[in-house]
């Protein structure tokens, strides 16, 4: 879409910050990204750190669907140990 | 022991006795180990899709794990439809594929495909095995994971060198503790009971989750005690048994008017093991508009996914149902007006298809299925394909148990029925298993006739042949101004001759007065047999809700128009 045709007051897509801990395995990141994509979110930023047998992943995501639904789907992945939504970042993005 | 022997060892430890597979280059070490194996029956299908769907049918009919095996590359890609089918219907399945040797991965080696990458969206979990030392533990975990919580397919991809490498025998028994995440045990049954007791028009809505949780008996006792009017999804068919006084049949796109009407009017929906799929709910905004919702499911991600619920219960379904049954035994619900109302709707708005008494009249799908339902033994397993015939079975066959009705629900996979019937027959060699297929679907896995012959499976095949892709033709007629496009199959092969080419006897019928004898003949035959049934091309499945429309807007057979109020049709 041509940006100039976008109404000035159109609300921006909600953005969320999630941190996720998962086991190191062959397809770890692909598995995570696949779920994020198919459940309706875009990755705006992603930082991955390897911590022993785990990966710690910080994600900034954009999407209009309820983020709790994505959290629930990510938690279903066998190798995902934890998904935490950064509430502070959520509040800041809602105020913005 | 080498890696291949570790796989067989895991089969033995976990009581896996039947597997469906097809050999090839990278999986050859496993096939070599099978030569010396005692205890594993390997069923050679004639296409890997047949292997996966047979494993699926085996799991559905038996409630146990289905196992399929293939080689790398084309073997693995051929499995994909069957694995996706199991994934969409939460069927416990273990998939084993050979992969090119570790050193060749990523070099575009012969028959290399990125199996892990291309199957991410259709598995519960998957592994690429790095070393033979890990194999035994991975097998234990995969087998456990496929069957626990919400079941699903788990894929283990094993490079050929890992299959050949030796590793010490597993010294200990697999851990009893579940490798899977267990469901939360916080269940608030008393709150559910309070909601049920304060409702005037409570309705039970159950799906495939009942049998997936092995809760068929608890569910049956619960429904009998609670005496709640009930509806089922396609996969929940059979949950209530065939004699339930309060059952209204399937809801949704091809559901009964009675079922959809009850959903529309109820003030409390008790959803058990169902995921509120769009084929069942129709347009969500208008679905059960007056109802509060209690949702019981093994999968936390299903709660509030499509409809926000007032109360969610998770945990052991058997335990939840038994606790609620006890409550109902001590104090039954006082909903006799609502029960009477639902029974009246069922009388006037159930699935009705008058049996055609005219002996020379052409056979219709519904009339045939009704006869089949009356003649076949109670514990017959029916494996359907996908299309109009599938819906006629769902509507008109009286199932007494959910494991007797094998139908591809979530994926709607044409070609499911024949291999699924093979799997079901291996699950119980003495049971009566019938594949009800359309002429289009039958051709999608017709190669499996060879498997039936090879193992001399006594299963029966029925083709309801309308010489077209009937379900597509119906939707073209109703929703695309009757502009038929690529649905004509009037050049089908001679199915009777085709069966005979596989050394399977076959019979053709086309008149109403031949139905009974046709069914009785194939059932009495002591071996595989095919019944080819010519039916009218123009026959439709009624009622129907246009995809995306509200369930209130069922299209009626006689009027062939949308009726915005079912009230006109259900007294
Ligand atoms: C593998 C696959 N391809 C296409 C479809 C789409 N589809 C759904 S029903 C149908 C027609 C099925 O025809 P047939 O098996 O003859 O059954 P009928 O509807 O005539 O009873 C088609 C093509 C599908 N469900 N599965």
């Amino acid at each position: 879409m041509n940006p100039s045709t976008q109404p000035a007051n159109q609300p921006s897509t909600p953005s969320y910050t999630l941190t996720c801990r998962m086991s190191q395995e062959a397809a770890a990141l692909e598995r995570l990204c696949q779920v994020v994509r198919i459940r309706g979110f875009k990755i705006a930023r992603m930082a991955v750190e390897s911590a022993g047998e785990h990966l710690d992943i910080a994600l900034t995501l954009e999407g209009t669907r309820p983020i709790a639904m994505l959290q629930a789907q990510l938690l279903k992945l066998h190798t995902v140990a934890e998904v935490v939504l950064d509430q502070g970042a959520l509040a800041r993005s809602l105020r913005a | 022991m080498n890696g291949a022997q570790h796989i067989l060892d895991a089969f033995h430890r976990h009581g896996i006795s039947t597997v469906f597979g097809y050999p090839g280059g990278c999986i050859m070490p496993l096939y070599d180990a099978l030569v010396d194996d005692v205890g594993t029956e390997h069923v050679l299908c004639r296409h890997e899709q047949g292997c996966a769907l047979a494993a699926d049918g085996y799991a559905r009919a038996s409630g146990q794990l289905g196992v399929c095996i293939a080689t790398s590359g084309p073997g693995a890609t051929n499995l994909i439809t069957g694995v996706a089918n199991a994934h969409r219907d939460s069927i416990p399945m273990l998939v084993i594929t050979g992969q090119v040797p570790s050193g060749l991965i990523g070099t575009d080696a012969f028959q290399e495909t990125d199996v892990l990458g291309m199957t991410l969206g259709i598995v519960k979990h998957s592994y690429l095995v790095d070393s033979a030392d890990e194999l035994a533990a991975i097998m234990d975990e995969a087998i456990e994971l496929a069957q626990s919580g919400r079941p699903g397919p788990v894929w283990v991809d094993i490079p050929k060198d890992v299959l050949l490498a030796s590793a010490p025998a597993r010294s200990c028994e697999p851990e009893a503790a579940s490798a899977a995440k267990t469901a939360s045990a916080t269940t608030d049954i008393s709150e559910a009971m309070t909601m049920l007791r304060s409702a005037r028009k409570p309705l039970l809505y159950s799906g495939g989750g009942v049998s997936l949780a092995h809760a068929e008996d608890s569910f049956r006792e619960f429904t009998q005690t609670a005496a709640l009017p009930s509806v089922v999804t396609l996969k929940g068919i059979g949950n209530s048994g065939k004699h339930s006084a309060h059952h209204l049949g399937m809801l949704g796109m091809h559901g009964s008017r009675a079922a959809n009407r009850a959903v529309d009017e109820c003030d409390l929906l008790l959803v058990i093991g169902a995921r509120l799929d769009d084929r069942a709910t129709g347009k969500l905004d208008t679905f059960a508009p007056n109802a509060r919702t209690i949702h019981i499911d093994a999968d936390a991600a299903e709660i509030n996914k499509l409809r926000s619920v007032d109360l969610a219960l998770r945990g052991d379904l058997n335990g939840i149902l038994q606790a609620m049954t006890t409550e109902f035994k001590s104090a039954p619900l006082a909903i006799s007006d609502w029960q009477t109302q639902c029974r009246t709707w069922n009388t006037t708005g159930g699935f009705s298809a008058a049996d055609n008494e005219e002996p020379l009249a052409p056979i219709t799908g519904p009339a045939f299925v009704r006869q089949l339902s009356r003649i076949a033994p109670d514990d017959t397993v029916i494996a359907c394909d996908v299309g109009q015939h599938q819906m006629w079975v769902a509507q008109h066959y009286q199932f007494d148990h959910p494991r007797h009705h094998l139908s591809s629900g979530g994926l709607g996979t044409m070609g499911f029925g024949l291999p699924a019937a093979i799997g079901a027959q291996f699950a119980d060699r003495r049971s009566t298993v019938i594949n009800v297929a359309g002429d289009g679907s039958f051709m999608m896995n017709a190669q499996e006739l060879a498997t039936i012959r090879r193992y001399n499976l006594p299963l029966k095949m029925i083709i309801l042949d309308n010489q077209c892709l009937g379900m597509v033709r119906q939707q073209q007629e109703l929703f695309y101004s009757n502009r038929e496009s690529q649905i004509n199959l009037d050049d089908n092969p001679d199915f009777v001759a085709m069966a005979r080419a596989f050394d399977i006897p076959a019979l053709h019928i086309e008149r109403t007065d031949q139905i009974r004898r046709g069914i009785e003949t194939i059932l009495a035959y002591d071996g595989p047999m095919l019944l080819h049934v010519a039916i009218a091309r123009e026959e439709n499945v009624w009622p129907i809700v246009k995809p995306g429309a509200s369930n209130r807007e069922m299209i009626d057979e006689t009027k062939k128009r949308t009726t915005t109020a079912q009230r006109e049709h259900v007294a």
Side-chain angles (χ1 to χ4, degrees), chain B residues 281-296:
Chain B
T281 64
K283 191 170 174 220
L284 261 180
D285 309 349
T286 56
F287 178 73
N290 310 314
R292 303 177 77 201
T293 310
I294 303 172
H295 195 168
I296 309 179

Side-chain angles (χ1 to χ4, degrees), chain B residues 426-474:
Chain B
F426 273 103
D428 181 354
R429 293 292 277 257
R430 287 159 310 168
S431 65
T432 306
V433 179
I434 304 177
N435 165 221
V436 177
D439 45 321
S441 296
F442 189 78
M443 289 294 283
M444 287 230 173
N445 272 314
Q447 78 284 343
E448 298 308 330
L449 286 169
T451 311
I452 293 166
R453 179 68 284 162
R454 165 186 285 244
Y455 295 95
N456 197 23
L457 302 177
L459 71 84
K460 316 301 175 195
M461 292 142 275
I462 295 172
I463 303 177
L464 295 182
D465 183 357
N466 52 11
Q467 308 248 310
C468 68
L469 299 171
M471 186 57 97
V472 180
R473 188 206 55 72
Q474 170 168 355

Side-chain angles (χ1 to χ4, degrees), chain B residues 119-322:
Chain B
T119 59
L120 286 174
I122 56 157
V123 294
K124 184 172 174 185
H125 191 55
S126 48
Y127 302 83
L128 175 62
V129 184
D130 283 334
S131 108
D133 293 332
E134 306 178 337
L135 197 47
I138 286 178
M139 288 294 292
D140 287 345
E141 187 173 290
I143 288 166
E144 160 71 22
L145 192 57
Q147 301 177 87
S148 60
R150 180 177 182 171
V154 176
W155 195 312
V156 185
D157 193 33
I158 314 166
K160 188 174 179 184
D161 54 312
V162 174
L163 289 170
L164 290 168
S166 60
R170 193 163 171 81
S171 52
C172 53
E173 286 301 299
E175 287 170 34
S178 164
K181 295 168 192 166
T182 47
S184 105
T186 51
T187 55
D188 197 344
I189 290 165
S190 67
E191 197 179 336
M193 290 306 300
T194 308
M195 285 171 72
L196 280 159
R197 292 200 188 287
S198 61
R200 284 173 41 247
K201 302 176 188 174
L203 185 71
L204 175 57
Y205 169 155
S206 71
V210 170
S211 55
L212 289 171
H214 301 278
E216 300 96 327
D217 293 344
S218 316
F219 183 87
R220 192 69 60 90
E221 202 191 344
F222 168 75
T223 50
Q224 279 160 6
T225 312
L228 284 168
S230 65
V231 300
V232 283
T233 66
L234 180 73
K235 280 188 64 207
I237 286 174
N239 280 348
S240 298
K242 66 196 243 186
H243 302 297
S244 167
H246 302 287
H247 187 50
L248 305 171
M250 183 171 74
L251 84 163
M253 179 181 263
H254 291 294
S256 74
R257 289 187 196 82
N260 284 340
R261 175 82 190 264
V263 174
D264 202 38
E265 298 254 333
C266 72
D267 64 0
L268 180 81
L269 205 56
L270 173 58
V271 183
I272 301 183
R275 58 190 173 83
L276 299 158
D277 163 72
D278 55 276
R279 279 290 185 272
T281 64
K283 191 170 174 220
L284 261 180
D285 309 349
T286 56
F287 178 73
N290 310 314
R292 303 177 77 201
T293 310
I294 303 172
H295 195 168
I296 309 179
D297 205 277
D299 183 354
E302 288 302 335
I303 310 293
N304 293 323
K305 187 179 84 177
L306 292 164
R307 179 183 173 99
S308 30
V309 303
D310 299 277
L311 178 68
L313 304 189
R314 290 188 53 230
D316 168 41
L317 183 55
N318 274 304
I320 294 172
L321 290 171
Q322 282 156 13

Side-chain angles (χ1 to χ4, degrees), chain A residues 20-96:
Chain A
C20 175
R21 168 163 276 214
M22 70 189 300
S23 329
Q24 299 256 23
E25 47 108 7
L29 291 179
E30 288 159 84
R31 227 181 269 288
L32 188 83
C33 295
Q34 192 267 342
V35 173
V36 169
R37 175 178 55 77
I38 201 75
R39 299 293 171 181
F41 289 82
K42 272 193 202 151
I43 299 176
R45 198 174 309 137
M46 181 168 172
V48 184
E49 228 174 279
S50 164
E53 298 205 325
H54 288 108
L55 291 176
D56 285 320
I57 302 143
L59 289 160
T60 305
L61 303 174
E62 291 171 355
T64 52
R65 296 194 188 175
I67 191 71
M69 293 294 93
L70 178 64
Q71 280 178 276
Q73 294 294 346
L74 289 174
L75 276 169
K76 269 168 66 173
L77 292 177
H78 179 56
T79 42
V80 167
E82 192 178 79
V83 180
V84 179
L85 178 66
D86 180 344
Q87 296 288 351
L90 177 62
R92 284 191 296 282
S93 93
L94 290 177
R95 272 200 304 273

Side-chain angles (χ1 to χ4, degrees), chain B residues 25-106:
Chain B
C26 289
I27 195 72
M28 277 173 63
L30 180 58
Y31 278 82
D32 186 58
L34 269 172
V35 174
D36 303 320
D37 182 69
V38 183
T40 309
E41 179 171 26
H42 178 280
V43 179
L44 180 77
C45 297
R46 292 304 174 96
H47 187 298
E48 288 87 351
Q49 186 182 122
C51 300
L53 292 173
D56 178 315
Y58 178 91
R60 283 181 209 243
S62 67
Q64 291 166 18
L65 185 72
V67 180
C68 56
I69 301 171
T71 192
S72 67
T77 54
N78 272 349
L79 287 176
I80 284 181
T81 300
V83 178
N85 189 71
H87 185 248
R88 292 302 314 273
D89 282 353
S90 310
I91 303 304
M93 181 184 284
L94 176 69
V95 188
I96 293 176
T97 45
Q99 180 56 278
V100 299
S102 310
L104 290 181
I105 292 178

